[in-house]
């Protein structure tokens, strides 16, 4: 049960950062890098390869003879975790994600430049989050910040002071050798003791995403709504919170942050927790509609009417997009893959003459991505129920063009919630100060529409 | 900020050892605020990470260890981690500093010191560490305790028996009751690591400790929860009620945000279900497991992939899970190909009479997609669906015929391959479509589809009027064909001859092919088969007819389900590499400890019926002295130890032992052939190629080709039987 090591590769497949691999021969990480690069070289243009690559080695010595390389893509880079023995690859992926989040927290953007520029910090971080026998340790950013100082102007100043000087600014600052850093004195691993904020506030950000597949006859084949509750907590001390919902029944299949007392949720359907400091995901749920019948068959708030004629060396199309929402819809993006052989497209936009709803706002715009062969249609905002039409044609090198039989539709619905979930109240016990709390709802959709 | 980046990036340029040495020496005097030293050390560390050998600076770098600046100390320790083990003759110089840091007031430094020492497996360091570790395991600061717990596992690797004798294993066990959840989790992690070693102490939990661990889950971090949940597999229920109670307590963990925690919880539940009796509880757990698995599918593609591979295993053992959720696995156009293929496989598994129509409609959709590999597998799945669900066969055939009309080469070829199997599954039902197939003969250019078509031509030569002409055309290129096609041609012409033995043309044809097969071809299989047919036809044509046209056993896809006992064992590895490759890890990872169900009165009878022994070589329970290579400590007195350890271990437990010491000192690799560990086992302990039996494990999609129907033990189609 262990992660052998971590490597970050740049866009050219060369390692920039590599963790210890102290228990392994030097050839071992190289084998993994080669394995990944080989797969990438063999991959089709899409660059999609299996996320777990088996790495066989000749065995011998300390070399594990059956290991696997789990990797994720971060911008132009690849982060890979080597695992051998009987480890859950999900641990590796969850860990890579956590590692990425930490780097983001420390450096803002995670890129080749920031990593190279701060390699000493990255190494200190790796030391703290992954022990040499491969056990993930602390991955909570707020606690790590006490052990490894983020590179900032302040820390540069602090570092230039001699160790004997009293530490300035940060309480429990690690620069001082005489400090008994309280990082792990806390009884709970996700929150340190002694957090202080001048103004105490907690913000809840609820985002619901509808995912659906609509068949060619317009019938919904599969659909569900997944909600995520993100929190930004800036509360002092050890705040014990109790959040209750006016309609908890709309939340099904919940998954929570470790801080949530699960038994309590099971019993009372209230969220009782001591939050970590800063941003975190409190929980996720699936929207369970009140009538059991419509499970997996929620009404889709948009409609698409494609009319496509495929000819030789191209084709023509008329696509009508309709919003069925009474609310404003924003950032509508419709994508259509025209096939590997597509060479170009020409379109006109119109506001559909149905008369219902306004044609106000931009008509939208279209582009053809000649590298990815994707036709993109974007409508920045649509007011109430209205329609837009995209007419045009495309050309292709192939005698019989093979465009994708599905459109990908994305849209955003600000201050809307599919489930109408409502946070009733949030109570604070164990601390005496007054806190400010805020809740924001928003929704979005990602629909595959086949024709 | 940006200027600092540029500056730091320069450290990546190659530096020279001498230069650094000079700079370090210069820094010894007049180093205001240690800034100079810090800069040089940064350069050195940068060089280490680039793979440049910085070991000649050992002496110079360790001079900085006493610098009262944590950042510098950390870099020196980083250096020691890299080069400490390669300097056994100089390492003693650092030890006083180590000892000093072990007693520093700052817990971070105390932890850093023991952690670094644990990375350097040199006797003199290990010796020093052993003394310090005893204090650190009882340190008042939890950060030090949790670090110390992991260090014990390291120490154990360096010298198992010494670590045992020093009592560290018992100290770890006591840490399971620590007040700090992180410490508990790390103690569990360390004990698990020790327990997973083939030469290690066996780590087993009793009911009391297991319950305490479950109680501590609520306060653990996600990683801690994973370790603790995983360790619960080391608890062997003696009574049904134990397993049932524990299962009920773990169900709630399915509501965790971390995907790895969820999958580990599922693994534990699947394990405990083997020991449960209450059918309603089992059904309830099955029902509860589905939704969290589905929820994982809304994560990134990597997590989806791992989840899908595991679902595939789980639904074979517990078909009740996700029984009605086939829609969840419908592929989206934008899914990465590896996700699509995994979903396709699950859709086929979940297909039943009730949902066959939905599944078929989806498969038809996929068959019109762009990715060739995916299209082929979709077409193949339509055929497998026809074979699996009889009620859907008509529609599947219709769908395949429509696909053949598209004339897309790879679609037609794939369709022909599966139709051949459908003919075998439903003899006498669909032969009417043969003429349609014959029209597409020219499109077939791949060996597998060509061979399939030739098989159809030969098998049904009596129904195809121009079979002799078609075969005659095909035989034209006989000598250039791959073996697969040659074999098919040989058999098909023989069948044709038996059907139409009166025709001179067929006689000439079969003669030609037999002559080629026996005289012009080098492949021994082909030659042998040629001779066999030839002799058979010459000696006894009637018998030849009976043999060649004998009734074939009907085929099914149900026997493709994995053997039940093997499944039980694989499921103990849910969420691990083994479950991705669908192989037990010990078969492809040397030194991996296998897992097997332990037979106790609580094990339910159906699980017991198929129980498989652990295929890892069982080390003998009593001590065996092996005169092998490898040093054996002369002072070693094994027999006294187990009883002592067990006795001390039972002090707090209710009669069951928490720790068992498996005292076999034999290690894999040190057998010199004198003991036959487990003669009948095929596990490649010593064979040269440990992956020999991996065959299609990686990306092997068609691990379940249709196979002849047999009375196999795995081919149990009654879902109800699988409940227990």
């Amino acid at each position: 049960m262990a992660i052998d090591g971590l490597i970050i590769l740049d866009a050219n497949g060369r390692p920039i950062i590599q963790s210890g691999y102290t228990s392994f021969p030097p050839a071992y990480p190289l084998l993994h890098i080669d394995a990944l690069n080989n797969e990438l070289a063999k991959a089709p243009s899409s660059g999609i390869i299996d996320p777990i690559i088996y790495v066989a080695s000749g065995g011998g010595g300390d070399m594990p003879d059956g290991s696997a390389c789990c990797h994720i893509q971060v911008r132009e880079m690849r982060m890979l975790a080597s695992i051998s023995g009987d480890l859950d690859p999900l641990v590796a992926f969850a860990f890579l994600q956590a590692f990425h989040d930490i780097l983001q927290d420390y450096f803002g953007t995670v890129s080749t430049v920031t990593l190279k520029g701060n390699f000493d910090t990255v190494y200190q971080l790796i030391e703290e989050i992954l022990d040499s026998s491969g056990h993930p340790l602390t991955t909570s950013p707020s606690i790590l910040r006490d052990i490894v100082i983020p590179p900032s102007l302040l820390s540069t100043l602090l570092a230039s002071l001699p160790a004997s000087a009293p530490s300035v600014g940060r309480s429990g600052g690690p620069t001082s050798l005489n400090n008994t850093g309280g990082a792990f004195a806390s009884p709970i691993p996700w929150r340190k003791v002694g957090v202080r904020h001048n103004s105490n506030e907690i913000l809840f950000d609820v985002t619901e995403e509808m995912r659906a597949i609509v068949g060619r006859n317009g019938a919904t084949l599969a659909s569900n709504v997944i909600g995520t509750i993100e929190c930004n907590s800036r509360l002092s001390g050890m705040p014990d919170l109790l959040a209750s919902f006016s309609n908890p029944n709309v939340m099904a299949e919940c998954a929570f942050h470790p801080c949530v007392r699960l038994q309590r949720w099971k019993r009372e359907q209230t969220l009782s927790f001591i939050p970590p400091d800063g941003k975190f995901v409190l929980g996720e749920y699936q929207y369970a509609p009140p009538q059991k019948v419509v499970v997996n068959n929620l009404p889709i708030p948009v409609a698409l009417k494609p009319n496509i004629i495929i000819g030789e060396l191209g084709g023509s199309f008329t696509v009508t997009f309709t919003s069925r929402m009474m609310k404003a819809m924003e950032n509508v993006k419709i994508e259509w893959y025209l096939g590997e052989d597509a060479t170009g497209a020409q379109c006109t936009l119109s506001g559909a003459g149905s008369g219902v709803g306004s044609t106000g706002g931009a008509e939208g715009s279209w582009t053809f991505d000649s590298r990815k062969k994707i036709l993109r249609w974007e409508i920045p905002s649509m007011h109430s129920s209205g329609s837009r039409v995209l007419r045009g044609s495309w050309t292709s090198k192939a005698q019989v063009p093979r465009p994708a039989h599905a459109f990908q539709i994305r849209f955003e619905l600000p201050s809307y919630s599919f489930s109408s979930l409502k946070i009733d109240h949030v109570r604070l016990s164990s601390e005496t100060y007054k806190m400010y709390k805020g809740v924001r709802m928003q929704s979005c959709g990602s629909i595959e529409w086949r024709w | 900020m940006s200027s600092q980046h540029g500056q730091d990036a320069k450290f990546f340029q190659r530096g020279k050892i001498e230069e650094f040495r000079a700079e370090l020496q210069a820094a010894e005097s007049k180093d205001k605020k240690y800034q100079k030293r810090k800069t040089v050390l940064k350069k050195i560390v940068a060089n280490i990470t680039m793979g440049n050998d910085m070991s000649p600076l050992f002496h110079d770098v360790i001079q900085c260890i006493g610098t009262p600046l944590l950042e510098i100390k950390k870099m020196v320790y980083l250096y020691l981690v890299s080069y400490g083990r390669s300097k056994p003759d100089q390492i003693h110089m650092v030890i006083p500093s180590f000892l000093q840091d072990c007693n520093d007031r700052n817990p971070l430094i105390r932890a850093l010191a023991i952690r670094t020492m644990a990375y350097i497996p040199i006797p003199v360091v290990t010796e020093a560490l052993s003394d310090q570790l005893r204090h650190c395991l009882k340190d008042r600061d939890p950060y030090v305790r949790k670090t110390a717990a992991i260090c014990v596992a390291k120490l154990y690797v360096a010298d198992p028996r010494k670590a045992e004798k020093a009592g560290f294993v018992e100290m770890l066990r006591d840490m399971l009751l620590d007040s700090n959840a992180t410490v508990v989790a790390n103690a569990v992690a360390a004990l698990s690591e020790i327990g997973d070693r083939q030469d290690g102490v066996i780590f087993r939990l009793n009911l009391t400790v297991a319950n305490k661990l479950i109680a501590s889950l609520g306060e653990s971090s996600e990683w801690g929860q994973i370790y603790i949940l995983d360790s619960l597999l080391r608890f062997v229920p003696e009574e049904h009620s134990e397993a049932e109670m524990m299962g009920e307590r773990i169900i709630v963990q399915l509501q965790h945000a971390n995907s790895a925690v969820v999958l580990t919880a599922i693994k534990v539940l699947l394990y405990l279900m083997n020991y449960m009796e209450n059918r309603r509880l089992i059904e309830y757990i099955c029902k509860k497991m589905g939704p969290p698995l589905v929820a994982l599918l809304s994560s990134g593609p990597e997590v989806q992939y791992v989840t899908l591979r595991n679902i595939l295993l789980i639904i074979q053992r517990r078909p009740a899970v996700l029984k009605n959720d086939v829609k969840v696995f419908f592929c989206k156009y934008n899914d990465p190909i590896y996700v699509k293929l995994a979903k396709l496989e699950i859709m086929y598994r979940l297909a039943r009479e009730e949902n066959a129509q939905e599944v078929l409609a989806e498969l038809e959709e996929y068959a019109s997609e762009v990715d060739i590999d995916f299209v082929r597998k979709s077409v193949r799945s339509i055929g497998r669906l026809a074979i699996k669900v009889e009620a859907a066969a008509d529609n599947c055939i219709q769908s395949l015929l429509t696909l053949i009309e598209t004339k897309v080469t790879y679609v037609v070829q794939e369709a022909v391959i599966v139709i051949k199997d459908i003919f075998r599954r439903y003899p006498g039902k669909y032969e009417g479509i043969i003429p349609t197939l014959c029209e597409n003969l020219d499109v077939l250019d791949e060996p597998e589809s060509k061979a399939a078509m030739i098989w159809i031509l030969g098998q049904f030569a009596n129904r195809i009027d121009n079979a002799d002409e078609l075969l005659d055309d095909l035989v034209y290129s006989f000598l250039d064909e791959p073996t697969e096609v040659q074999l098919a041609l040989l058999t098909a012409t023989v069948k044709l001859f038996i059907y139409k033995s009166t025709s001179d043309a067929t006689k000439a044809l079969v003669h030609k092919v037999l002559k080629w097969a026996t005289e012009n071809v080098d492949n021994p299989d082909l030659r042998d088969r040629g001779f066999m047919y030839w002799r058979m036809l010459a000696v006894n044509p009637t018998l030849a007819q009976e043999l060649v046209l004998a009734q074939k056993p009907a085929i099914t896809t149900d026997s493709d389900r994995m053997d039940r006992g093997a499944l039980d064992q694989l499921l103990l590895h849910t969420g691990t590499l083994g479950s991705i490759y669908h192989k037990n890890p010990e078969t492809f990872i040397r030194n991996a400890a296998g897992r097997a169900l332990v037979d106790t009165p609580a094990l339910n009878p159906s699980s017991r019926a198929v129980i498989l022994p652990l295929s890892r070589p069982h080390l003998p329970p009593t001590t065996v002295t092996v005169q092998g290579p490898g040093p054996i400590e002369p002072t070693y007195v094994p027999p006294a130890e187990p009883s002592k350890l067990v006795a001390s271990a039972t002090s707090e437990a209710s009669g069951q032992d928490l720790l068992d010491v498996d005292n076999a000192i034999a290690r894999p690799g040190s057998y010199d052939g004198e003991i036959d560990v487990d003669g009948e086992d095929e596990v490649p302990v010593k064979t040269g190629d440990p992956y020999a039996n991996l065959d299609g494990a990686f990306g092997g999609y068609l691990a379940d080709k249709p196979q002849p129907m047999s009375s196999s033990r795995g081919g149990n189609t009654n879902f109800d039987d699988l409940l227990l």
Side-chain angles (χ1 to χ4, degrees), chain B residues 420 447-459 471 475 478 482-495 513 526 529 533:
Chain B
K420 181 199 106 180
E448 198 183 355
S449 59
K450 216 169 179 173
M453 189 65 214
I454 293 167
W455 182 87
I456 295 173
L457 285 177
Q459 187 66 25
L471 276 175
V475 160
F478 183 87
T483 314
E484 192 180 355
V485 178
Q486 288 177 330
L487 285 169
L489 276 172
L490 175 61
T491 309
T493 45
V494 171
K495 283 177 184 166
V513 172
L526 193 61
R529 201 189 286 189
Y533 281 137

Side-chain angles (χ1 to χ4, degrees), chain A residues 236-288:
Chain A
S236 311
M238 276 286 167
D240 204 328
L241 298 174
L242 181 72
S244 61
F245 302 88
S246 55
N247 49 350
N249 293 333
V250 299
M251 297 163 73
E253 326 310 348
C254 305
F256 295 114
H257 187 275
C259 69
V260 174
R261 298 184 177 102
L262 295 173
Q263 295 292 356
R264 186 90 180 257
W265 166 258
K266 199 175 158 194
R267 225 171 34 237
E268 303 166 13
Q269 303 245 291
T270 53
L271 291 182
S272 160
F273 61 102
I274 298 176
D277 198 37
K279 286 185 186 156
F280 66 99
V281 176
L282 180 62
E284 288 176 330
Y285 59 89
Q286 264 192 57
Y287 169 39

Side-chain angles (χ1 to χ4, degrees), chain A residues 50 198 266 276 289 408:
Chain A
D50 277 9
N198 289 331
K266 199 175 158 194
Q408 307 296 327

Side-chain angles (χ1 to χ4, degrees), chain A residues 1 16 22-23 48-54 56-57 59-61 63 65-66 68 71-73 83-91 93-95 98 113-114 116-120 123-124 127-128 131-139 147-148 151-152 156 159-163 174-181 184-190 211-213 216 220-222 226 253-258 262-263 265-266 286 296 337 402-406 408 446 448 450-451, chain B residues 1 4-5 8-9 11-12 33 35 38 42 45-46 49 67-71 74 78 81 85 104-109 115 119 140-143 146 150 154 180 182 186 189 193 196 218-223 225-227 230 248-249 252-260 263-264 291 294-298 302-303 305-307 327 330-334 336-338 362 365-370 408 410 573 575-578 580-581 585 588-590 595 690-691 694 698:
Chain A
M1 283 273 295
I16 347 177
T22 38
S23 337
I48 294 172
I49 53 173
D50 277 9
I52 302 173
I53 301 167
Y54 183 78
S57 76
M63 196 81 98
D65 51 10
H71 58 95
I72 59 172
Q73 186 157 17
I83 56 175
S84 60
D86 199 22
L87 180 76
D88 184 345
L90 273 186
V91 174
F93 287 121
F95 181 76
V113 180
T114 48
K116 277 194 172 177
N118 295 294
F119 69 92
D120 53 331
Y123 275 101
Q124 288 183 41
E127 283 287 300
E128 288 305 325
D131 110 291
S132 83
S133 45
H135 303 285
L137 306 170
T138 312
T139 49
I147 316 173
V148 181
S152 67
T156 329
S160 61
L161 294 171
T175 19
S176 158
L177 283 183
N178 299 324
N179 205 304
T180 16
F184 291 91
S186 167
I188 47 173
W190 57 86
R211 301 179 185 193
I213 305 177
R216 56 184 67 203
T220 312
L221 294 176
I226 293 160
E253 326 310 348
C254 305
F256 295 114
H257 187 275
L262 295 173
Q263 295 292 356
W265 166 258
K266 199 175 158 194
Q286 264 192 57
N296 217 355
Y337 176 67
R402 304 195 57 178
H405 277 259
Q408 307 296 327
S446 158
E448 171 165 322
R450 294 179 185 161
W451 58 275
Chain B
M1 223 21 212
Q4 198 203 344
H5 286 167
D8 274 358
F11 296 148
F12 276 83
K33 294 164 188 167
Q35 207 51 33
K38 210 173 96 182
K42 248 185 172 180
V45 170
T49 63
T67 317
L69 186 64
L70 184 58
E71 243 186 309
K74 276 190 175 174
L78 208 57
V81 169
R85 61 171 67 199
D104 196 279
R105 280 177 56 199
N106 186 339
L108 286 181
I109 293 185
R115 192 166 74 191
Y119 291 169
R140 69 195 140 78
D141 191 287
Y143 182 66
K146 75 162 201 146
I150 295 291
K154 290 248 148 291
N180 185 296
T182 314
N186 278 19
E193 194 181 324
D196 280 344
E219 284 158 11
S220 303
S221 74
E222 42 209 340
W223 313 113
Q225 296 194 347
I226 294 170
Y227 289 129
D230 193 70
E248 280 169 4
R249 292 181 68 188
V252 75
Q253 295 300 325
L254 296 174
Q255 290 184 335
H256 201 287
N258 184 309
S259 48
L263 210 52
T264 314
V294 173
L296 291 183
L297 295 180
S298 63
E302 295 88 6
V303 172
Y305 175 71
V306 179
T307 310
K327 280 182 173 181
F330 286 1
C331 300
K332 291 209 174 136
Y333 192 80
N334 284 354
I337 182 71
Y338 52 83
E362 277 297 298
E365 196 67 47
Y366 307 154
S368 70
E369 275 205 24
V370 185
V408 180
Y410 53 84
H573 296 280
T576 65
L577 277 182
I580 301 300
Y581 302 143
F588 63 96
I589 303 166
R590 195 183 41 179
R595 285 177 179 171
Y691 324 109
L694 258 181
F698 308 106

Side-chain angles (χ1 to χ4, degrees), chain A residues 143-164:
Chain A
I143 291 175
L144 279 171
R145 276 171 179 272
D146 271 8
I147 316 173
V148 181
I149 320 169
S152 67
L153 197 58
L154 180 64
S155 62
T156 329
L157 281 176
L158 276 176
S160 61
L161 294 171
S164 52

